[in-house]
Every structure is written in structure tokens, then in C-alpha cells.
Amino acid sequence: MDYAWNWAIFPAPSADGTGSYLSLLLSGLGWTLATAALSWGLALPLGMLLGILRTLPQRGPRLACDAYAELFRNIPLIVQMFLWYVVLPELLPEPAGTWLKRLPNAAFATAVLSLGRYTAARVSEQVRAGIESLPRGQRQAGIALGLSPAQVHASVLLPNALRIVLPALASEFLNNTKNTSVAMTIGLMELTARARSMQEYSFQVFEAFAAATLLYLAVNAVDVRAMALAERRLALPGLSRPRGDGHAF
Amino acid sequence: MSRPLSGDRPAIERDAVSKSYGSFAVLKGCTTQVARGEVVVVCGPSGSGKSTLIKTVNALEPVQSGTIRVNGLQVAPRRLRARTGMVFQHFELFPHLSVLGNLCLAQQKVLGRSAAGAERTARALLERVGLAAQAEKHPAQLSGGQQQRVAIARALAMNPEVMLFDEPTSALDPEMVGELLDVMAELARDGMTMMVVTHEMGFARKVADRVIFMDQGEIVEDAPCAAFFETPRSERARALLSRILHH
């Protein structure tokens, strides 16, 4: 292979004239982090709420939340982003569509909302499964003590279910961060998009994607660490299995 | 534990209580009552409806027909449950709470007691079941027998007028059965009204005032303790007794 390695490319000024290639990548990293944080901030509370509603005896809310989860979980994320970003403005009446297209940061907002809704559907599935995995007697014991069904959910079922699904939620958190790269398809200049433009400007494809890879690894290493800490903080005396160094992944 | 005796109605009255899952009848017109301070043991082969019988007393299992009164009142399920303590076969302690937390949760949330008041009650009860030193531990750090004694203390913390036990010793190692039965016998001596589903015939003989024998969803025999063991009237009860007592 005839490839001219050039690791000194990073401090060189980028062809778009906004700064060095390194600062180009870092600005991409900034958008990646912002998209990941905001979409997770939407997905976690929404997914928990939906997951809880899916375990209630009331049929109406349960079916509605089941439908939400199936819809948003089963359509590929990239299709969802296209639908919201490209198709929705065309379906709306002319003025509303134009207004939507001219919003500042439309790609960013669409990415956050699409990813948040998608991850929320997946989180709701974890939370539902966690609650349903608890022995039936736990609910009965709470009810027998005179607690209301809502109190049983809040004080007994949820704290135990969340401990059970914490490792699965940690994986969802990592997936959510990695899935931000899909937003490059609707024009968000996040890390992967920036690595591609660096490749196009400089032809140093290996350096560009090596840097992007390391940055993704570094971000998710922090995520993993944070989740491992949370798991250890929430471990119950007498129940938690000791695990060598506390790393799950 | 001393309770004011209000009137002389039975603590539990049940009249023609029936329940079925689909076309399968679990309880067929069960009528019985439990007097205040009385200890009634419910026994019978598995699948005979004994657990369902006591779970209908605090409306954990809804019934299709018949009435159940606790202290003469047919009350809404939630108020009813706060007056009846229940102990389960598999303890069902809340694993995320300490022993103290298990005892305090419903006191604070249902009875509205202060944290300090709930803790005082909890510690006194733990003392009574011999577990004062374990108050800060979590359920998974205790033996089965200790967990079941915590479960009894948790139920007592609500000042119940009736205690229901659903096979409280079935999930315990044999050497732990004795310590639990001691706690239950003491509770009975203190005048607690108790309904106990159990296969422990030794306990029944020593502690029970009456024995209810069930088979296929029916109360086959409802007799004073001595009469049940010495002269069981039904063939099915005789068969069960000979199986259990001669092993």
C-alpha cells in the first residue's frame, strides 16, 4: 500500500480555514458530547416513565406505551432521523415547513430529539423487564402492609428493578453516545463527520479516523467508569457479587 | 401485646366465600370465623386452597362471592390490610432496605408515623424477636430464620389486630424451624389472633385452638385442636394425619 503517513497533520491549518485539523476534530467532539448528553437527558427520564407505565394494571396507558416502544425501537435510527429532518417539513403546511427548515441548529435539535426518543424506547424495555423480573411476592408484601400500588412501585419495585437493570442501562448509555454518529447523515458536524471532512481536505484518512476512534474510546471509557462507580455505590450488602476491578465491559 | 377488646364479635368472619380462576373453583363457599385471640391452623394437601383462604382475609386475592369481615367491619381493602399483618412463605423482605428500613417503610407511609417514632417501634420489636443486633443489616446478610423473624416484626410494626401466616416455615432449613415456631408460639400466648397455614402438626397441636382442614377448595373439617387430632371426622383428614404424623 502506497500511503504517506503524516502524524504532523493535526496542528496544520485545515482547508476550511477555521483552524487546525485538531481543532476541527475537537469541535466535532463537542457536538458529539452535546448530542449524547442532551439525548440521554431526554431518554433516561422518558424511558423510565414509559417503562413504569408499561407495568401498571391500567390497560390504556400500558398499550399506548407498548405501542410507543415498539414503534421507536423497531425503526432504524437513521430512517427516523431522515423522517424527522427531511420528510416532516415537507408534510407540514408550507409556512410551518419553511419555518422548521430555517431553524438555527435544526440538525442538532433533530438529532437530539430523534436519538432521545429512540433510546427512550430501549430504556423503557429494560425498565419494564426489570420490574417484571421481581418476584410477585414483593408486590404482595407491599400491598399487604397497606401501601398503595403507587407506593409499592416507588418504594419497593423501582429501587430493586433499577439495580437489576443498571448494567443494561450502562450499555444503553454507551450505545446512545455511539449512535450520535448517525446524525452526520442529516448534516450535524459531529466527530465522525469532522473526521470525514478532515479526510476529504487532507487525504490523511487513517490519521483522521485513528484520532476519531481514540476520542470515542476515551469518551466511553469515562462513561464506563461512571457507570461502574454508580453500580458500586448502589450495590446492596450481602447481594452484590464481588467483581475483580469493577469493570463491566 | 395487649389490645383493647372491643365488643365480642369474632375477629374474622367469613360467610360463603367463593373464588375461582376461570372455571376452576379455588374456594367453594367457605364459611368460618376466628374469635379474638384465637389461633387457627389451616392445613390440607397442596392445592387445597389454604393459601388462597388466608389471602382473601386481607383481600390480597379478590373473591367472587361471599363476605369477609374483620372486627365486624367490611372495610375497603387498603384499610383492611393495615389491620392485618401477613407473613409469607418466602419472607418477601425488601432487599434494598436495611432491617430497620423494612420495619419503618409502611409505618411512615401508611400510618404516618415520624421517622423517630417508627424507629423506636421497630427497635422494640426487633428486641422482641431477638434480632436487635441485626437492625442495620440488609436482608441478604441474614439467615432464612432471621429473615422470617424480621418479616414477623415488620408485620407487627403496623399494630395488626390479626396476623396471617402463609406456610411461614416451608422455606426454612429444618434447624431454623424451631426458632421461628417459638416466636409464633409466644405471639399466640400474648393473645394475638392468628390464622396459620402450616404443615407443622407439632406446632398445631401445641399452639392452635382450632384446626381447619381443607381439601379441593372446601372446608372439610373445622374442629377444636384436640378433637381434630384425636377423632378426625373425615376420611381425608384421617389420611393426611396418618401420612404426616407417622413420618
Side-chain angles (χ1 to χ4, degrees), chain B residues 25-44:
Chain B
V26 196
L27 298 178
K28 300 173 194 157
C30 294
T31 301
T32 185
Q33 36 181 266
V34 179
R36 227 170 275 281
E38 198 175 23
V39 176
V40 174
V41 160
V42 184
C43 62

Side-chain angles (χ1 to χ4, degrees), chain A residues 65-152:
Chain A
C65 296
D66 280 352
Y68 173 98
E70 291 312 328
L71 187 65
F72 284 87
R73 202 161 60 108
N74 295 352
I75 301 174
L77 179 58
I78 190 166
V79 174
Q80 294 190 36
M81 286 204 185
F82 266 84
L83 284 176
W84 294 111
Y85 191 70
V86 182
V87 180
L88 179 69
E90 305 301 332
L91 292 180
L92 291 174
E94 177 72 31
T98 310
W99 173 81
L100 208 58
K101 281 188 242 178
R102 288 194 185 143
L103 280 182
N105 292 326
F108 175 61
T110 307
V112 167
L113 292 175
S114 306
L115 184 55
R117 282 183 291 239
Y118 172 77
T119 308
R122 299 178 52 99
V123 167
S124 85
E125 187 66 10
Q126 318 277 14
V127 171
R128 178 192 68 76
I131 293 176
E132 284 174 0
S133 75
L134 297 172
R136 231 168 68 91
Q138 286 282 300
R139 189 191 298 262
Q140 286 199 337
I143 295 288
L145 283 166
L147 295 169
S148 69
Q151 286 174 325
V152 172

Side-chain angles (χ1 to χ4, degrees), chain B residues 120-148:
Chain B
R120 248 196 324 277
T121 310
R123 287 196 186 276
L125 284 166
L126 287 174
E127 185 79 48
R128 191 167 149 195
V129 298
L131 291 172
Q134 322 290 337
E136 328 293 336
K137 288 199 177 155
H138 275 69
Q141 295 172 294
L142 303 180
S143 72
Q146 289 174 323
Q147 290 191 51
Q148 195 61 300

Side-chain angles (χ1 to χ4, degrees), chain A:
Chain A
M1 188 175 67
D2 195 13
Y3 181 78
W5 289 93
N6 178 15
W7 291 107
I9 184 79
F10 294 108
S14 76
D16 67 352
T18 54
S20 66
Y21 282 111
L22 182 64
S23 67
L24 191 76
L25 289 177
L26 290 180
S27 97
L29 178 65
W31 284 109
T32 290
L33 292 178
T35 311
L38 288 183
S39 58
W40 184 249
L42 171 67
L44 188 61
L46 179 62
M48 281 179 47
L49 180 70
L50 290 166
I52 294 166
L53 289 175
R54 291 175 74 190
T55 60
L56 295 186
Q58 288 82 2
R59 217 174 128 77
R62 202 179 64 219
L63 288 181
C65 296
D66 280 352
Y68 173 98
E70 291 312 328
L71 187 65
F72 284 87
R73 202 161 60 108
N74 295 352
I75 301 174
L77 179 58
I78 190 166
V79 174
Q80 294 190 36
M81 286 204 185
F82 266 84
L83 284 176
W84 294 111
Y85 191 70
V86 182
V87 180
L88 179 69
E90 305 301 332
L91 292 180
L92 291 174
E94 177 72 31
T98 310
W99 173 81
L100 208 58
K101 281 188 242 178
R102 288 194 185 143
L103 280 182
N105 292 326
F108 175 61
T110 307
V112 167
L113 292 175
S114 306
L115 184 55
R117 282 183 291 239
Y118 172 77
T119 308
R122 299 178 52 99
V123 167
S124 85
E125 187 66 10
Q126 318 277 14
V127 171
R128 178 192 68 76
I131 293 176
E132 284 174 0
S133 75
L134 297 172
R136 231 168 68 91
Q138 286 282 300
R139 189 191 298 262
Q140 286 199 337
I143 295 288
L145 283 166
L147 295 169
S148 69
Q151 286 174 325
V152 172
H153 250 85
S155 304
V156 177
L157 301 182
L158 259 189
N160 288 303
L162 288 181
R163 282 181 168 86
I164 291 172
V165 301
L166 199 59
L169 285 183
S171 289
E172 269 334 306
F173 185 46
L174 297 185
N175 278 338
N176 187 69
T177 303
K178 291 181 289 184
N179 282 339
T180 55
S181 60
V182 174
M184 75 175 274
T185 58
I186 56 169
L188 182 68
M189 294 312 281
E190 46 67 65
L191 183 52
T192 308
R194 285 302 190 191
R196 261 193 71 165
S197 44
M198 174 171 169
Q199 172 217 328
E200 277 158 12
Y201 296 144
S202 69
F203 304 109
Q204 303 298 143
V205 57
F206 291 111
E207 291 83 345
F209 279 94
T213 303
L214 288 178
L215 288 172
Y216 277 120
L217 278 176
V219 169
N220 270 346
V222 174
D223 290 355
V224 167
R225 198 84 209 128
M227 285 313 220
L229 260 176
E231 249 181 89
R232 212 169 320 157
R233 283 280 304 273
L234 293 172
L236 295 173
L239 271 187
S240 54
R241 292 168 294 278
R243 197 167 51 205
D245 55 2
H247 283 264
F249 306 98

Side-chain angles (χ1 to χ4, degrees), chain A residues 134-142 156 239, chain B residues 51 54-55 60 86-95 102 139-140 142-152 154 164-173 180 197 199:
Chain A
L134 297 172
R136 231 168 68 91
Q138 286 282 300
R139 189 191 298 262
Q140 286 199 337
V156 177
L239 271 187
Chain B
S51 285
I54 70 163
K55 280 183 178 168
L60 269 190
M86 178 135 198
V87 175
F88 295 83
Q89 180 176 1
H90 295 288
F91 329 138
E92 303 303 349
L93 295 178
F94 305 136
N102 266 278
L142 303 180
S143 72
Q146 289 174 323
Q147 290 191 51
Q148 195 61 300
R149 280 186 282 157
V150 171
I152 291 176
R154 179 175 71 177
L164 307 171
F165 295 82
D166 185 12
E167 305 205 25
T169 58
S170 303
L172 296 182
D173 292 336
L180 192 84
V197 173
H199 298 293

Side-chain angles (χ1 to χ4, degrees), chain B residues 222-234:
Chain B
D222 185 344
C225 187
F228 177 78
F229 282 104
E230 279 145 36
T231 52
R233 286 195 313 271
S234 67

